[in-house]
Amino acid sequence: MKILIKGANVLQPDYSTGVADIAITDDVIAAVGEVPGDFAADYIIEGKDHFAVPGLVNAHTHASMTLLRSYADDMELMDWLNNKIWPIEGKMVEKDIRVGAKLALVEMVKGGTTAYADMYGPCMESVAEETIKAGVRGILSRGLIGFAPTAMKSLAENVDLYKNYHGAGDGLISILLGVHAPYTCPPDFCKAAAKVSAEHGINVHIHMSETQDEIRQMQEKYGKRPFQYIAETGLFDRPSIAAHCVWLDDADIAMMKEKAITPVHNPGSNMKLASGVAPVPKLLAEGVHVALGTDGASSNNNLDMLEEIRLTAMLHKVHELNPLAVPAAEALRMGTEYGAEALWLEKTGRLQAGWKADIVLYDMNRPEWCPRHDLVSLLVYSANSGSADTVLCNGKVLMEKGELKTLDEEKILREANACAMDLVNRG
Amino acid sequence: MKILIKGANVLQPDYSTGVADIAITDDVIAAVGEVPGDFAADYIIEGKDHFAVPGLVNAHTHASMTLLRSYADDMELMDWLNNKIWPIEGKMVEKDIRVGAKLALVEMVKGGTTAYADMYGPCMESVAEETIKAGVRGILSRGLIGFAPTAMKSLAENVDLYKNYHGAGDGLISILLGVHAPYTCPPDFCKAAAKVSAEHGINVHIHMSETQDEIRQMQEKYGKRPFQYIAETGLFDRPSIAAHCVWLDDADIAMMKEKAITPVHNPGSNMKLASGVAPVPKLLAEGVHVALGTDGASSNNNLDMLEEIRLTAMLHKVHELNPLAVPAAEALRMGTEYGAEALWLEKTGRLQAGWKADIVLYDMNRPEWCPRHDLVSLLVYSANSGSADTVLCNGKVLMEKGELKTLDEEKILREANACAMDLVNRG
């Protein structure tokens, strides 16, 4: 299949922009700019007045949790978890997981997200199946609460998920080990998980150093900060992504650089849950390629990666009282190329020949895109995800002119609302 | 003219929500819920699957500056002002002011804003005329830079604007005195402005205590903090709105309460320009009804009030490490009812019989509005302004199903882009 995107304003790898054609052959960008004369397109997408950027990468979320969007907000963290979130999560069955993931996929594709790292469960096979059907890249893991009585069973499920789905969907799916967090996973469990990850070569997805309380708890209980605690169980001997990373000291940052641990910044969730402000400018200055994520829709409350990119560019400026803290282009790179790197997606996150055809076109015929002095600034500081108009992933058109091609939006929204109401009222 | 909005989910004055009809007679809401049996609607708007809330109030912006959106970003404040913004503003003529305001009006109406407080100039008559044509409430002022050689001429222009336009457009327009800021207005000028404001009864719009630098400068120059400095010139003897109010001490807050000074919080601008975080939770706790604004599109970079509402709910949580800092409903009230109060708009900002028919309907048939556990949470934490679907101001339909009724969107965007490019390239 050969697709030609004609005359779009294209974000180049150096973050300059200019009008160009993009030629796509199967899953790969064949050319940007000078399309070979013998390129015979099967399908043409008109790019005029559109801004083409790499597909956005959501490097940390809990997709099925989207069913709980707006179910509980503006509460103290432990009250919210103990009395609202965990009890209702305990009632979720396969249907909820599947329908929640479908709702998340609709929202993500409509917002220009083409790859996401998920941690949830049970029944992650259903999430994998729906992700393949949607045509999105899913880097999935079974969330593992180490102190739960069923922890070892869940760990085995995660391994089965890896065996059955790693590389599935023509490479769209990969599987990580979803060790939840230092404060929910005791040493024996972490060691068991580390053993499994080494044995099978499964990379790790974990929450790290999200709140001050977590740091204090770990120090009280083990006399160690979370990074040191997890490292000593052997888990960080595998490449890992670490969500949040809000409260870091120099030793934590040194460890991230020494081992292959990529932090995933979740500004929306960190703001809403009042977790704190991660030291992102410092990490970037030290050469760490910080990725971005939305976290789950209970703590954000959407899966809008463009909003996370904007919050990243805005929050650190005011936090450090430095208007240069994270420039627009750097924030956009975090939400695209750095995210793809973090998730071990090869040649993904740039519009460049030989790279994967994961592309979003934003419709600029809107007041917030006017006037067009600087397209990167417009995207990051002014536009919202509603202008994402056409989305390709792995060379396949997932949305064109706002219409989803692989997902039945109307049906899924109806189903998700009914499913969520049933879940809330379930005895 | 009688309009009936049928079966919308309505935000009640107590911030509960429920399905109801809204009956409108001329500029006023006649009934919410039980529509009188003899109400014969001339026009019916289908409200199913829509969330009806009061029109959003942007209590501080510089509308015509929208022409400079994305012209200069990610710079140090004084470098940005001295080398980019002020030189190009110096070149602006009537056409730029008019076209910039039209672009701003398109963006504001599309985003659900029905009232705005503007400070700009020259040629604010053109802004008033365009605002009346658009059908939006404009609380306008001529920006007065006291140390400019033309300051007294501009002050006279502001008085003429008041004489010619206060109450114009069937009450849509009111006029304030746009004294720019303590650091741009020397004492003699402030005293002259205070005299004029007392003489004509013109209320005041001013920037106050935006940066730490401003506080330091004023203390060095006059041995006073900005609030004390302005109060001593007599300007605060008239009711005033004070934009930003980031760096406040207890005496400043006490003065705001003692005199009729309403702070306007601009979280997007304060974040992007790295000005600091205003003590909004403290002000609210002391009973101050803080309003919200976008500031100009050079420092935001859009006029999206829903985004300001969200940032208000999110920024203060993380800044104070308190997830209860500003709840969703309070942030929404700041962007509607408190904003209307701040701008002296009577009976505006609630959906209640006898109050002004300024209404936004949000289309909830979108993934980010699903599932519908809590509509206020969905609006504030999940939706973006792209779901604003139908907008009424003063009982007149300004937008229906995304289509503008009083503004020619396509033409204005084309004109604005051409005008902005001409401005930038002007010798």
Short mmCIF file of all heavy atoms in Angstrom, two decimals, chain A residues 250-299:
data_model
loop_
_atom_site.label_atom_id
_atom_site.label_comp_id
_atom_site.label_asym_id
_atom_site.label_seq_id
_atom_site.Cartn_x
_atom_site.Cartn_y
_atom_site.Cartn_z
N ASP A 250 20.03 13.30 43.68
CA ASP A 250 21.09 13.12 42.67
C ASP A 250 21.43 11.65 42.46
O ASP A 250 21.73 11.23 41.34
CB ASP A 250 22.34 13.90 43.08
CG ASP A 250 22.14 15.41 42.92
OD1 ASP A 250 21.16 15.80 42.23
OD2 ASP A 250 22.93 16.18 43.49
N ALA A 251 21.38 10.86 43.53
CA ALA A 251 21.69 9.43 43.39
C ALA A 251 20.65 8.74 42.52
O ALA A 251 20.98 7.85 41.71
CB ALA A 251 21.75 8.79 44.78
N ASP A 252 19.37 9.13 42.68
CA ASP A 252 18.32 8.56 41.84
C ASP A 252 18.60 8.85 40.36
O ASP A 252 18.49 7.98 39.50
CB ASP A 252 16.94 9.15 42.20
CG ASP A 252 16.49 8.81 43.62
OD1 ASP A 252 16.94 7.79 44.16
OD2 ASP A 252 15.68 9.59 44.18
N ILE A 253 18.94 10.11 40.09
CA ILE A 253 19.18 10.52 38.69
C ILE A 253 20.42 9.80 38.15
O ILE A 253 20.41 9.32 37.00
CB ILE A 253 19.32 12.05 38.58
CG1 ILE A 253 17.98 12.71 38.97
CG2 ILE A 253 19.74 12.47 37.18
CD1 ILE A 253 17.99 14.23 39.00
N ALA A 254 21.45 9.68 38.97
CA ALA A 254 22.65 8.96 38.53
C ALA A 254 22.31 7.51 38.20
O ALA A 254 22.78 6.96 37.20
CB ALA A 254 23.72 9.02 39.63
N MET A 255 21.45 6.90 39.02
CA MET A 255 21.07 5.51 38.76
C MET A 255 20.29 5.38 37.45
O MET A 255 20.50 4.44 36.67
CB MET A 255 20.23 4.95 39.91
CG MET A 255 19.95 3.47 39.74
SD MET A 255 18.70 2.86 40.88
CE MET A 255 19.56 3.02 42.44
N MET A 256 19.39 6.34 37.19
CA MET A 256 18.60 6.29 35.95
C MET A 256 19.52 6.33 34.74
O MET A 256 19.26 5.69 33.72
CB MET A 256 17.64 7.48 35.91
CG MET A 256 16.53 7.35 36.92
SD MET A 256 15.67 8.92 37.18
CE MET A 256 14.50 8.79 35.89
N LYS A 257 20.59 7.15 34.85
CA LYS A 257 21.51 7.28 33.73
C LYS A 257 22.40 6.05 33.60
O LYS A 257 22.72 5.61 32.49
CB LYS A 257 22.37 8.53 33.92
CG LYS A 257 21.55 9.82 33.76
CD LYS A 257 22.29 11.05 34.21
CE LYS A 257 23.41 11.43 33.27
NZ LYS A 257 24.02 12.73 33.67
N GLU A 258 22.79 5.48 34.73
CA GLU A 258 23.70 4.34 34.74
C GLU A 258 22.99 3.09 34.22
O GLU A 258 23.51 2.35 33.39
CB GLU A 258 24.19 4.13 36.17
CG GLU A 258 25.23 3.06 36.34
CD GLU A 258 25.23 2.56 37.79
OE1 GLU A 258 25.14 3.39 38.72
OE2 GLU A 258 25.25 1.31 37.96
N LYS A 259 21.79 2.87 34.75
CA LYS A 259 20.99 1.74 34.26
C LYS A 259 20.09 2.29 33.15
O LYS A 259 20.03 3.49 32.92
CB LYS A 259 20.15 1.17 35.41
CG LYS A 259 21.02 0.81 36.62
CD LYS A 259 20.36 -0.19 37.51
CE LYS A 259 21.32 -0.64 38.59
NZ LYS A 259 21.62 -2.08 38.51
N ALA A 260 19.39 1.44 32.46
CA ALA A 260 18.54 1.92 31.36
C ALA A 260 17.12 2.17 31.87
O ALA A 260 16.19 1.45 31.56
CB ALA A 260 18.55 0.91 30.22
N ILE A 261 16.98 3.23 32.68
CA ILE A 261 15.67 3.57 33.25
C ILE A 261 15.22 4.91 32.66
O ILE A 261 15.88 5.93 32.85
CB ILE A 261 15.75 3.73 34.79
CG1 ILE A 261 16.38 2.49 35.43
CG2 ILE A 261 14.36 4.03 35.37
CD1 ILE A 261 16.76 2.70 36.90
N THR A 262 14.12 4.92 31.93
CA THR A 262 13.62 6.18 31.37
C THR A 262 12.45 6.69 32.21
O THR A 262 11.46 5.97 32.40
CB THR A 262 13.15 6.00 29.92
OG1 THR A 262 14.21 5.41 29.18
CG2 THR A 262 12.77 7.33 29.31
N PRO A 263 12.54 7.93 32.69
CA PRO A 263 11.41 8.50 33.43
C PRO A 263 10.29 8.91 32.49
O PRO A 263 10.54 9.41 31.39
CB PRO A 263 12.02 9.74 34.11
CG PRO A 263 13.17 10.12 33.24
CD PRO A 263 13.68 8.87 32.58
N VAL A 264 9.06 8.70 32.94
CA VAL A 264 7.89 9.17 32.21
C VAL A 264 7.19 10.21 33.07
O VAL A 264 6.70 9.91 34.16
CB VAL A 264 6.91 8.01 31.89
CG1 VAL A 264 5.73 8.56 31.09
CG2 VAL A 264 7.61 6.90 31.14
N HIS A 265 7.18 11.43 32.57
CA HIS A 265 6.61 12.56 33.29
C HIS A 265 5.10 12.64 33.02
O HIS A 265 4.67 12.51 31.88
CB HIS A 265 7.32 13.82 32.76
CG HIS A 265 6.86 15.11 33.36
ND1 HIS A 265 6.62 15.27 34.70
CD2 HIS A 265 6.63 16.32 32.79
CE1 HIS A 265 6.25 16.52 34.93
NE2 HIS A 265 6.25 17.18 33.79
N ASN A 266 4.33 12.84 34.08
CA ASN A 266 2.86 12.90 33.98
C ASN A 266 2.36 14.20 34.61
O ASN A 266 1.77 14.20 35.69
CB ASN A 266 2.23 11.71 34.72
CG ASN A 266 2.62 10.37 34.13
OD1 ASN A 266 1.91 9.81 33.32
ND2 ASN A 266 3.77 9.87 34.54
N PRO A 267 2.57 15.33 33.93
CA PRO A 267 2.28 16.60 34.59
C PRO A 267 0.82 16.76 35.00
O PRO A 267 0.54 17.27 36.09
CB PRO A 267 2.70 17.65 33.56
CG PRO A 267 2.75 16.93 32.25
CD PRO A 267 3.11 15.51 32.57
N GLY A 268 -0.11 16.33 34.15
CA GLY A 268 -1.54 16.51 34.48
C GLY A 268 -1.91 15.77 35.75
O GLY A 268 -2.53 16.33 36.67
N SER A 269 -1.52 14.53 35.84
CA SER A 269 -1.81 13.73 37.03
C SER A 269 -1.09 14.28 38.26
O SER A 269 -1.68 14.38 39.34
CB SER A 269 -1.39 12.28 36.77
OG SER A 269 -1.46 11.52 37.94
N ASN A 270 0.15 14.65 38.10
CA ASN A 270 0.92 15.18 39.24
C ASN A 270 0.32 16.48 39.76
O ASN A 270 0.36 16.77 40.96
CB ASN A 270 2.38 15.44 38.84
CG ASN A 270 3.15 14.18 38.46
OD1 ASN A 270 4.20 14.27 37.85
ND2 ASN A 270 2.63 13.01 38.79
N MET A 271 -0.26 17.27 38.86
CA MET A 271 -0.92 18.51 39.28
C MET A 271 -2.23 18.19 39.99
O MET A 271 -2.49 18.66 41.09
CB MET A 271 -1.19 19.41 38.06
CG MET A 271 0.08 19.98 37.42
SD MET A 271 -0.22 20.90 35.88
CE MET A 271 -0.70 22.51 36.55
N LYS A 272 -3.05 17.37 39.35
CA LYS A 272 -4.40 17.12 39.89
C LYS A 272 -4.34 16.38 41.23
O LYS A 272 -5.12 16.68 42.14
CB LYS A 272 -5.23 16.32 38.88
CG LYS A 272 -6.64 16.04 39.38
CD LYS A 272 -7.59 15.78 38.24
CE LYS A 272 -8.98 15.52 38.78
NZ LYS A 272 -9.15 14.15 39.29
N LEU A 273 -3.43 15.41 41.35
CA LEU A 273 -3.31 14.67 42.61
C LEU A 273 -2.39 15.38 43.60
O LEU A 273 -2.16 14.89 44.70
CB LEU A 273 -2.78 13.25 42.35
CG LEU A 273 -3.67 12.34 41.50
CD1 LEU A 273 -3.02 10.97 41.36
CD2 LEU A 273 -5.06 12.20 42.08
N ALA A 274 -1.84 16.53 43.20
CA ALA A 274 -0.98 17.32 44.08
C ALA A 274 0.24 16.53 44.52
O ALA A 274 0.70 16.63 45.66
CB ALA A 274 -1.77 17.83 45.29
N SER A 275 0.80 15.75 43.59
CA SER A 275 1.96 14.91 43.93
C SER A 275 3.24 15.72 44.05
O SER A 275 4.10 15.42 44.87
CB SER A 275 2.16 13.83 42.86
OG SER A 275 0.97 13.12 42.64
N GLY A 276 3.38 16.73 43.19
CA GLY A 276 4.59 17.54 43.18
C GLY A 276 5.04 17.77 41.75
O GLY A 276 4.41 17.28 40.80
N VAL A 277 6.12 18.53 41.59
CA VAL A 277 6.63 18.87 40.26
C VAL A 277 7.96 18.13 40.04
O VAL A 277 8.92 18.35 40.78
CB VAL A 277 6.83 20.39 40.11
CG1 VAL A 277 7.38 20.72 38.72
CG2 VAL A 277 5.51 21.13 40.34
N ALA A 278 8.00 17.26 39.05
CA ALA A 278 9.21 16.49 38.76
C ALA A 278 10.32 17.41 38.25
O ALA A 278 10.05 18.41 37.60
CB ALA A 278 8.89 15.42 37.72
N PRO A 279 11.58 17.08 38.53
CA PRO A 279 12.70 17.94 38.10
C PRO A 279 13.05 17.73 36.62
O PRO A 279 14.17 17.33 36.29
CB PRO A 279 13.84 17.48 39.02
CG PRO A 279 13.54 16.04 39.30
CD PRO A 279 12.03 15.91 39.31
N VAL A 280 12.10 18.00 35.76
CA VAL A 280 12.25 17.71 34.33
C VAL A 280 13.37 18.53 33.68
O VAL A 280 14.19 17.97 32.94
CB VAL A 280 10.90 17.88 33.60
CG1 VAL A 280 11.06 17.88 32.09
CG2 VAL A 280 9.95 16.77 34.04
N PRO A 281 13.43 19.85 33.93
CA PRO A 281 14.53 20.61 33.27
C PRO A 281 15.91 20.07 33.66
O PRO A 281 16.81 19.99 32.82
CB PRO A 281 14.32 22.04 33.79
CG PRO A 281 12.85 22.11 34.12
CD PRO A 281 12.51 20.74 34.65
N LYS A 282 16.06 19.68 34.91
CA LYS A 282 17.34 19.11 35.36
C LYS A 282 17.64 17.79 34.64
O LYS A 282 18.76 17.56 34.18
CB LYS A 282 17.28 18.89 36.88
CG LYS A 282 18.57 18.36 37.46
CD LYS A 282 18.50 18.22 38.97
CE LYS A 282 19.76 17.48 39.44
NZ LYS A 282 20.32 18.02 40.65
N LEU A 283 16.64 16.92 34.55
CA LEU A 283 16.82 15.65 33.85
C LEU A 283 17.21 15.89 32.39
O LEU A 283 18.14 15.27 31.87
CB LEU A 283 15.53 14.82 33.92
CG LEU A 283 15.22 14.19 35.29
CD1 LEU A 283 13.76 13.76 35.36
CD2 LEU A 283 16.15 12.99 35.56
N LEU A 284 16.50 16.80 31.73
CA LEU A 284 16.81 17.10 30.32
C LEU A 284 18.23 17.65 30.19
O LEU A 284 18.97 17.27 29.29
CB LEU A 284 15.80 18.09 29.75
CG LEU A 284 14.35 17.58 29.59
CD1 LEU A 284 13.41 18.73 29.23
CD2 LEU A 284 14.26 16.48 28.52
N ALA A 285 18.60 18.54 31.12
CA ALA A 285 19.94 19.14 31.07
C ALA A 285 21.02 18.08 31.25
O ALA A 285 22.12 18.20 30.70
CB ALA A 285 20.07 20.22 32.15
N GLU A 286 20.68 17.03 31.98
CA GLU A 286 21.65 15.95 32.16
C GLU A 286 21.59 14.93 31.01
O GLU A 286 22.20 13.86 31.10
CB GLU A 286 21.43 15.27 33.50
CG GLU A 286 21.69 16.24 34.66
CD GLU A 286 22.15 15.55 35.93
OE1 GLU A 286 22.55 14.35 35.87
OE2 GLU A 286 22.10 16.19 36.98
N GLY A 287 20.80 15.23 30.00
CA GLY A 287 20.77 14.35 28.83
C GLY A 287 19.78 13.21 28.92
O GLY A 287 19.77 12.32 28.06
N VAL A 288 18.95 13.19 29.95
CA VAL A 288 17.94 12.14 30.07
C VAL A 288 16.75 12.50 29.16
O VAL A 288 16.22 13.61 29.23
CB VAL A 288 17.45 12.01 31.53
CG1 VAL A 288 16.36 10.95 31.64
CG2 VAL A 288 18.62 11.68 32.46
N HIS A 289 16.36 11.57 28.29
CA HIS A 289 15.26 11.79 27.36
C HIS A 289 13.93 11.45 28.04
O HIS A 289 13.39 10.37 27.86
CB HIS A 289 15.46 10.99 26.08
CG HIS A 289 16.52 11.56 25.20
ND1 HIS A 289 16.81 11.06 23.96
CD2 HIS A 289 17.34 12.63 25.37
CE1 HIS A 289 17.79 11.78 23.41
NE2 HIS A 289 18.12 12.73 24.25
N VAL A 290 13.41 12.39 28.79
CA VAL A 290 12.18 12.18 29.54
C VAL A 290 11.00 12.00 28.58
O VAL A 290 10.83 12.81 27.66
CB VAL A 290 11.90 13.38 30.47
CG1 VAL A 290 10.67 13.13 31.32
CG2 VAL A 290 13.12 13.71 31.33
N ALA A 291 10.20 10.95 28.81
CA ALA A 291 8.98 10.73 28.01
C ALA A 291 7.79 11.33 28.75
O ALA A 291 7.92 11.79 29.90
CB ALA A 291 8.78 9.23 27.80
N LEU A 292 6.63 11.35 28.10
CA LEU A 292 5.42 11.93 28.71
C LEU A 292 4.28 10.92 28.72
O LEU A 292 4.18 10.08 27.82
CB LEU A 292 4.97 13.16 27.93
CG LEU A 292 5.94 14.34 27.86
CD1 LEU A 292 5.32 15.47 27.05
CD2 LEU A 292 6.31 14.81 29.26
N GLY A 293 3.43 11.05 29.72
CA GLY A 293 2.24 10.20 29.78
C GLY A 293 1.08 10.94 30.42
O GLY A 293 1.28 11.97 31.08
N THR A 294 -0.11 10.40 30.22
CA THR A 294 -1.31 11.03 30.80
C THR A 294 -1.64 10.47 32.16
O THR A 294 -2.41 11.08 32.89
CB THR A 294 -2.54 10.78 29.91
OG1 THR A 294 -2.73 9.37 29.78
CG2 THR A 294 -2.38 11.42 28.55
N ASP A 295 -1.11 9.28 32.50
CA ASP A 295 -1.62 8.51 33.62
C ASP A 295 -3.07 8.13 33.31
O ASP A 295 -3.55 8.35 32.20
CB ASP A 295 -1.48 9.30 34.94
CG ASP A 295 -1.37 8.37 36.16
OD1 ASP A 295 -1.48 7.14 36.00
OD2 ASP A 295 -1.18 8.89 37.27
N GLY A 296 -3.78 7.55 34.26
CA GLY A 296 -5.15 7.11 33.99
C GLY A 296 -6.14 8.27 34.01
O GLY A 296 -5.85 9.34 34.54
N ALA A 297 -7.32 8.02 33.43
CA ALA A 297 -8.33 9.09 33.31
C ALA A 297 -9.00 9.40 34.64
O ALA A 297 -9.81 10.32 34.72
CB ALA A 297 -9.38 8.71 32.28
N SER A 298 -8.66 8.67 35.70
CA SER A 298 -9.18 9.04 37.02
C SER A 298 -8.36 10.16 37.65
O SER A 298 -8.81 10.81 38.58
CB SER A 298 -9.13 7.87 37.99
OG SER A 298 -10.00 6.88 37.56
N SER A 299 -7.17 10.35 37.16
CA SER A 299 -6.29 11.32 37.80
C SER A 299 -5.78 12.36 36.82
O SER A 299 -4.76 12.97 37.03
CB SER A 299 -5.11 10.60 38.46
OG SER A 299 -4.39 9.84 37.52
#
